[in-house]
Amino acid sequence: MNTSKVKITVTEPDLVPAYAKWGDAGADLRAAEDIVLWPGNRKLVRTGVCLELPEHLVALVHPRSGLALKNGITVLNTPGTVDSAYRGEIAVILYNAGATNFEVRRGDRIAQ
């Protein structure tokens, strides 16, 4: 059994990563800022979350299937890799493959 600990630092209480349902494998990451994504464009979106992973462990950032299906919004460089030596804020590269502008509001779930 692995007993490694992950330290999570969150800049705001409303941005704490959370599981949508008990038993889910991935916790939702939330946007720390408001943005507008135009069709065919990408933007780096801050999450307000920093991790301190034990050596040789990795965190992976995946797109949310609901955003992709309903709005054509996905995460570039999927899965995003957060290495154990990285101590900065996690940010997500969102891409709009849809036909209309998409607004992201602070607190919106943008990735897992």
Side-chain angles (χ1 to χ4, degrees):
M1 178 165 86
N2 186 344
T3 59
S4 298
K5 303 272 187 206
V6 175
K7 181 179 177 187
I8 301 173
T9 303
V10 183
T11 59
E12 301 290 333
D14 62 326
L15 300 177
V16 174
Y19 296 95
K21 296 182 299 242
W22 187 89
D24 283 354
D28 290 323
L29 291 171
R30 297 182 178 276
E33 57 192 326
D34 296 338
I35 65 155
V36 176
L37 264 178
W38 298 278
N41 283 285
R42 64 189 175 273
K43 287 196 178 180
L44 189 65
V45 182
R46 297 181 312 101
T47 65
V49 175
C50 300
L51 299 177
E52 290 185 29
L53 297 167
E55 192 174 49
H56 304 297
L57 289 184
V58 64
L60 301 175
V61 178
H62 292 272
R64 294 191 65 244
S65 57
L67 282 180
L69 178 62
K70 295 173 188 169
N71 305 105
I73 304 301
T74 192
V75 175
L76 291 182
N77 194 38
T78 299
T81 299
V82 182
D83 286 311
S84 60
Y86 181 71
R87 294 294 186 258
E89 180 179 8
I90 295 172
V92 178
I93 305 168
L94 290 183
Y95 175 73
N96 186 349
T100 60
N101 289 351
F102 183 76
E103 293 184 13
V104 175
R105 296 288 175 226
R106 178 185 167 83
D108 285 352
R109 297 178 301 156
I110 59 169
Q112 294 183 334

